[in-house]
Amino acid sequence: RIGMDGGCLVGILVVQRVDQRPIGQRRQHGGGLFLTAQDRAPSPALLRRKSGKGGGGGVQPGGRQHNGQHVGQGLFLRRQCGGGDIATGTIYKLHQSGYPVLVTEIANPSAIRRQVAFSEAVYEKSYTVEGVTCYFAENLTQAYDLMEHGKIALMIDPVGAVIREVKPAAVVDGILAKKNLGTTIDMAPFTVALGPGFTAGVDVHAVVETMRGHKLGRIIYEGNAIPNTGIPGAIAGVAKERVIHAECAGILYGEKKISDYVQKDEVIACIYPDAQAKDASGQRKKDGAVAVKATISGILRGLIRDGYPVTKGFKIADIDPRESEYENCFTISDKARCIAGGVLEALLHAGILPE
């Protein structure tokens, strides 16, 4: 169950093999890391097992039969209230690592960094980020068909109802709401949450740190992530000023597009009290519209999509003060990739392996 920091919901299903040896006996072949019980990984007893081919075992959270074929164990990623790019980083990495992925979303995602948010598939029916495409599924049957063909599936499911039916091997909560909105440790044999609001070992099996700095991406098996400060991470020395929030409620339409260079105080969007009000020429009437101005000079890295209804205080835009970072508008961020690495490590540590 993976969320995104802005207003969306995401889920991921991943088929996998499981290393059934005790945590302390797992060794990566070729001189890799040796894990001991002191790593505080969750007990393998948490993972349900059954015999596989040749008498081998593996996590077996139930699996599914679809068209007479076993769809398999999976990783479910749920995203709610979300910004988009953080969850997309995890979805991308798990898919590229060989896991089948099912993502659940709300009906009206509010991603800011839309160029790198798979949530845009809700509106566009498919969306590609760095060469990887996520496809919208109308129902679970379509989702299974997509995953059987090695594709990322995304479906609308605001409450994560399909978790019970899919019975995934793992649930990743990437909602990033800075509080637990209902995820429980018994949703799957292994559960992971991103950021503050969860207690590892109580709410979920593992928490991945999301605060920029030395601990970013670290896995926590007991306790909590660093509490939310309410201040965005600094980029080129700029923190709070680079993120823009709505000054009033209304319908937002952009005057600039993502990747445009903007000057401080330049109008980047307008919030209209009535988006349907138009003049004789068909243009939206700006009577009563509130201009959204750039708080700093830089590249407009994120802007909520046209026609989105916002409330006062809603996050609507993000400016990167570095003029040279144009390409960053179209690629997954370093932060998202680091967090995604933490999720992947947690899954592998728990013995949940890609097929």
Side-chain angles (χ1 to χ4, degrees):
R1 168 173 167 168
I2 262 194
M4 301 193 177
D5 47 297
C8 322
L9 176 149
V10 179
I12 296 181
L13 177 72
V14 179
V15 177
Q16 82 298 318
R17 300 189 312 276
V18 176
D19 186 338
Q20 63 183 31
R21 291 171 294 175
I23 292 288
Q25 295 179 13
R26 297 179 194 165
R27 184 185 298 273
Q28 182 179 355
H29 295 290
L33 176 65
F34 178 74
L35 303 176
T36 70
Q38 295 177 352
D39 289 307
R40 298 183 181 275
S43 168
L46 292 169
L47 308 179
R48 284 176 281 175
R49 305 171 181 279
K50 81 171 189 179
S51 295
K53 292 182 179 180
V59 167
Q60 187 61 291
R64 300 293 301 168
Q65 290 290 329
H66 180 61
N67 293 335
Q69 295 183 348
H70 182 70
V71 174
Q73 309 82 30
L75 220 178
F76 182 85
L77 191 153
R78 183 181 176 211
R79 179 171 83 77
Q80 186 176 18
C81 305
D85 67 306
I86 300 298
T88 293
T90 297
I91 296 165
Y92 179 95
K93 185 171 288 290
L94 294 179
H95 172 78
Q96 293 294 78
S97 298
Y99 292 99
V101 176
L102 172 61
V103 180
T104 61
E105 256 297 357
I106 59 173
N108 56 337
S110 59
I112 304 301
R113 293 200 62 210
R114 292 180 287 113
Q115 299 287 355
V116 288
F118 283 136
S119 60
E120 288 294 287
V122 171
Y123 301 107
E124 308 294 338
K125 304 310 176 186
S126 68
Y127 203 74
T128 301
V129 176
E130 294 196 28
V132 173
T133 302
C134 177
Y135 295 88
F136 180 77
E138 295 285 351
N139 50 53
L140 197 52
T141 297
Q142 289 185 10
Y144 282 137
D145 286 338
L146 287 166
M147 289 186 290
E148 286 173 356
H149 289 86
K151 298 177 181 179
I152 300 172
L154 179 149
M155 58 187 295
I156 295 174
D157 181 8
V159 298
V162 298
I163 295 177
R164 182 171 298 178
E165 184 172 357
V166 173
K167 299 178 181 177
V171 168
V172 183
D173 185 319
I175 294 174
L176 297 174
K178 281 72 176 182
K179 59 182 178 181
N180 189 346
L181 298 181
T183 296
T184 58
I185 199 169
D186 59 356
M187 280 184 164
F190 189 64
T191 53
V192 184
L194 309 186
F198 303 87
T199 300
V202 178
D203 301 314
V204 291
H205 296 104
V207 172
V208 177
E209 181 59 65
T210 58
M211 179 70 74
R212 284 187 181 273
H214 184 72
K215 295 184 178 181
L216 178 64
R218 286 181 179 270
I219 306 167
I220 302 163
Y221 290 111
E222 289 184 359
N224 313 89
I226 299 172
N228 178 40
T229 63
I231 301 175
I235 295 179
V238 181
K240 185 177 181 179
E241 297 81 3
R242 68 179 179 82
V243 177
I244 301 174
H245 298 82
E247 295 183 4
C248 63
I251 311 299
L252 184 141
Y253 284 89
E255 298 289 328
K256 298 289 184 178
K257 69 179 187 301
I258 293 175
S259 78
D260 281 348
Y261 181 80
V262 297
Q263 296 283 353
K264 182 179 179 180
D265 294 328
E266 187 174 1
V267 176
I268 62 172
C270 288
I271 299 175
Y272 296 83
D274 181 2
Q276 304 304 316
K278 297 182 179 180
D279 58 25
S281 66
Q283 299 296 313
R284 282 184 294 274
K285 290 183 178 180
K286 292 195 174 182
D287 297 343
V290 175
V292 178
K293 298 182 179 181
T295 48
I296 60 172
S297 297
I299 295 174
L300 188 60
R301 190 173 69 160
L303 179 65
I304 204 166
R305 66 186 294 118
D306 282 353
Y308 200 92
V310 301
T311 55
K312 184 176 181 180
F314 203 82
K315 181 180 175 181
I316 55 176
D318 180 4
I319 299 175
D320 190 327
R322 302 167 295 182
E323 296 181 35
S324 61
E325 302 301 325
Y326 173 84
E327 293 297 330
N328 289 5
C329 297
F330 311 102
T331 56
I332 297 169
S333 70
D334 55 345
K335 178 178 178 178
R337 286 186 179 278
C338 188
I339 292 169
V343 174
L344 178 60
E345 179 186 340
L347 295 176
L348 295 175
H349 194 194
I352 300 173
L353 311 179
E355 189 174 60

